[in-house]
Amino acid sequence: MTDPPSHDRSGAALWGVVTIVFVLAAVLAGTRFTRVAGDQLADRFDLAYETPALASVQLLQDGINPYAAAVYDEVPFVITMYTPIYPLLVALLPGDADNPYRAGRLVSLVAMVCAAAGLALVGRAAPVPALAALATFVLLWPVTQKAAFVRGDGLALALSVMAVLLLRGPRVGSGRIVAAALFAVGAVATKQTSAAALAACWLHLCLRPLGGARLFAAVALVAGALLALGAHAAWGTGFWFCTLVVPTNPFSATHFANAWREMLRQPAFALVLSALVAWVVTRGAGTTSVTRQVAGEPHGFRVRCGRSPLVPYVLCTWVILLATLGKRGSWTNYFIEPSLAVLLWAVDALSLRWAGWRGPVQGRDRGPARRAACAALLVALPLGLELWLAAPADYAHSDSARRAERAAFADGLRTVCTELGLLDPSVLDVYTPVHDLMLGSRVHFNDPLLYSLSWKSGTLSPRPLLDAVGDGRFDLVLLPRGMSLSSRPEGPVGDVILAVLSRYRRARSAGPADLYLP
């Protein structure tokens, strides 16, 4: 038996190094992701504006219509701007009196993990690219932050990915088309802007030689109509107002630029952008060699959309991102689905070349394989920079120090309220609703940002809240420490603060807040 040529041994050794590097990157990325998820699950307090969604869950648990005008335009002033699948699912789970956020975070975490598992499913034939993509995805800051988080983004993402992957492959029967339509509609019923999978699946089926677009459209229309009729019957016209009218915030170029600036700080996002550039340059083909077709066979963008739903999925997710990112209230979590879409496409495209790079090499040119291995090692550099340079405050909302700080503030706030004789107060915090649950109160005025935007746009009026403050409907009002008539902001929020200062007296201070009593 003769030994294999030395260049074959060197090529195999190089690919061995590549495999070890990406296994290590995936392990380190997974360790960081798991640690952050565990910290956030254990935190008993609001991580970063989770309470607005939790308030909707509490209303459903109490059997109250979360979309009723008597709820969002009167005390308790709780507004629900998203479609209901996520809060309905969380409301069905057992609650935790010590940590009311845990159930919602657990649902989001399981959904995010399921969505990320799509990379492993697509990359079964190309494990190294799949590992690289998985490490890249979980190292993105918004993915780590919003995995264990009370918000419907993760669930909508998981449903979208399932819809798209059901249509992947040469043999897609009617059963998978029906299931894909149901998952895609479910994604929209979880979050209105999660329509990329619905559009991408339909576009793919329209351009697919075997068809299926009519069946998909029919199932989606019937399912959507039934859900819409059910929502109208259960919650009335308030459902349409809250989910279609209230979220129409004006575009802000500054907000759009700030979100992009935050993403561009992340080394792992450079890999996402690189994959996006490859998608644009090759028009969804993946590599130049993949575009080579038999003479006379069409190979344009329309054909590629018909061959794989991942190609139009990339297009639809990035179009929706650019269309929705500039509105106030959007942030880097809007990049999660477009990033995953382009990583899914990249793994799928690289799978077409993986066998050639890693297969038997005797008698063949090793140049392309060696260049691919070297390129793979370059891909590992941003992952290493992310793991080395990123600070926990960049990618996590909680850790042991911050949990202790929040707990100490909550204990101090409860002590002050007990000294003031407030055992179960009705609380209004003009800037954030997180203190309500710290004091054991049900949430009031659950989304100050959304209310202020709605007041400015004229969608809602501040008059009901002004009247409630003037009537002394709240046992306790919290304002930022040092707030005065001269320092209050202009506009409707300033009018609310003026009403508080006119009707309530400052009693004590606790941390960054001043406490006002009637």
Side-chain angles (χ1 to χ4, degrees):
M1 179 180 293
T2 60
D3 293 333
S6 60
H7 65 269
D8 292 343
R9 290 197 301 270
S10 64
L14 184 57
W15 274 110
V17 172
V18 169
T19 302
I20 292 172
V21 166
F22 283 114
V23 167
L24 180 62
V27 169
L28 292 176
T31 300
R32 189 177 91 172
F33 178 87
T34 303
R35 184 181 68 251
V36 173
D39 285 339
Q40 296 192 177
L41 283 173
D43 203 312
R44 297 183 294 117
F45 304 107
D46 190 301
L47 297 173
Y49 223 62
E50 295 177 288
T51 303
L54 181 61
S56 302
V57 173
Q58 291 181 334
L59 290 176
L60 290 167
Q61 290 172 333
D62 294 339
I64 299 173
N65 177 0
Y67 301 103
V71 170
Y72 67 75
D73 223 14
E74 298 289 344
V75 176
F77 295 100
V78 171
I79 193 164
T80 302
M81 67 178 292
Y82 291 118
T83 39
I85 296 298
Y86 175 76
L88 280 172
L89 178 59
V90 177
L92 294 174
L93 299 178
D96 185 340
D98 186 56
N99 186 351
Y101 299 95
R102 179 174 287 138
R105 291 172 185 163
L106 188 59
V107 169
S108 296
L109 177 60
V110 172
M112 189 69 78
V113 170
C114 290
L119 291 166
L121 182 64
V122 172
R124 285 177 298 176
V128 170
L131 283 174
L134 186 60
T136 301
F137 182 65
V138 300
L139 286 177
L140 293 172
W141 298 351
V143 173
T144 310
Q145 292 168 338
K146 298 301 186 286
F149 195 85
V150 183
R151 191 161 177 162
D153 297 55
L155 182 59
L157 177 65
L159 294 170
S160 296
V161 170
M162 285 189 281
V164 173
L165 294 187
L166 277 169
L167 300 184
R168 179 177 171 268
R171 298 178 180 177
V172 177
S174 58
R176 289 170 66 174
I177 293 175
V178 169
L182 295 177
F183 280 126
V185 171
V188 178
T190 303
K191 187 178 180 183
Q192 298 93 305
T193 54
S194 297
L198 187 68
C201 290
W202 180 78
L203 180 60
H204 164 67
L205 292 172
C206 284
L207 299 175
R208 192 178 74 132
L210 298 178
R214 290 183 179 179
L215 175 61
F216 181 88
V219 173
L221 286 172
V222 171
L226 290 175
L227 288 175
L229 289 173
H232 186 80
W235 300 308
T237 56
F239 169 79
W240 305 108
F241 176 77
C242 289
T243 58
L244 297 181
V245 178
V246 170
T248 55
N249 299 326
F251 176 84
S252 167
T254 301
H255 195 73
F256 182 91
N258 287 340
W260 271 99
R261 188 176 296 112
E262 181 70 8
M263 291 302 299
L264 292 173
R265 292 177 55 215
Q266 306 171 40
F269 189 61
L271 297 179
V272 174
L273 290 181
S274 298
L276 179 63
V277 169
W279 182 91
V280 172
V281 170
T282 66
R283 293 178 295 171
T287 61
T288 54
S289 58
V290 177
T291 65
R292 297 171 187 164
Q293 306 289 335
V294 177
E297 183 182 345
H299 53 271
F301 181 71
R302 287 168 54 90
V303 174
R304 293 174 193 133
C305 287
R307 285 180 179 155
S308 171
L310 295 173
V311 176
Y313 188 44
V314 173
L315 173 66
C316 294
T317 53
W318 285 88
V319 167
I320 289 178
L321 170 70
L322 296 176
T324 59
L325 182 62
K327 70 184 184 68
R328 294 294 303 273
S330 63
W331 193 233
T332 55
N333 56 297
Y334 277 49
F335 285 85
I336 295 176
E337 186 177 13
S339 297
L340 182 57
V342 77
L343 290 172
L344 286 167
W345 167 81
V347 173
D348 188 49
L350 290 173
S351 297
L352 299 173
R353 298 294 298 162
W354 182 253
W357 288 335
R358 297 288 289 121
V361 296
Q362 284 79 0
R364 291 196 288 114
D365 180 19
R366 289 294 302 177
R370 286 202 188 95
R371 287 193 292 272
C374 292
L377 291 176
L378 290 176
V379 166
L381 289 178
L383 301 181
L385 288 173
E386 171 62 35
L387 289 164
W388 181 31
L389 298 176
D394 292 328
Y395 57 78
H397 288 313
S398 180
D399 52 39
S400 57
R402 279 181 279 186
R403 287 203 304 275
E405 181 182 348
R406 282 190 275 258
F409 173 70
D411 291 340
L413 186 60
R414 283 192 292 266
T415 299
V416 170
C417 288
T418 299
E419 294 172 354
L420 295 173
L422 299 172
L423 301 181
D424 186 18
S426 172
V427 183
L428 170 66
D429 192 321
V430 178
Y431 279 88
T432 173
V434 303
H435 303 110
D436 303 46
L437 294 174
M438 287 183 175
L439 297 173
S441 170
R442 295 307 248 183
V443 177
H444 298 82
F445 198 50
N446 72 316
D447 199 335
L449 174 61
L450 182 59
Y451 271 103
S452 65
L453 292 172
S454 299
W455 292 339
K456 289 179 181 179
S457 66
T459 304
L460 291 172
S461 169
R463 177 48 53 190
L465 182 58
L466 292 171
D467 291 342
V469 171
D471 294 340
R473 299 281 300 277
F474 300 101
D475 302 320
L476 174 67
V477 178
L478 281 76
L479 293 178
R481 177 173 284 201
M483 181 63 68
S484 64
L485 289 174
S486 59
S487 62
R488 65 188 175 92
E490 297 181 354
V493 175
D495 295 339
V496 173
I497 293 174
L498 175 61
V500 171
L501 296 176
S502 302
R503 178 64 175 78
Y504 288 72
R505 61 179 176 84
R506 180 182 173 278
R508 294 281 292 276
S509 295
D514 285 334
L515 282 63
Y516 287 79
L517 300 179

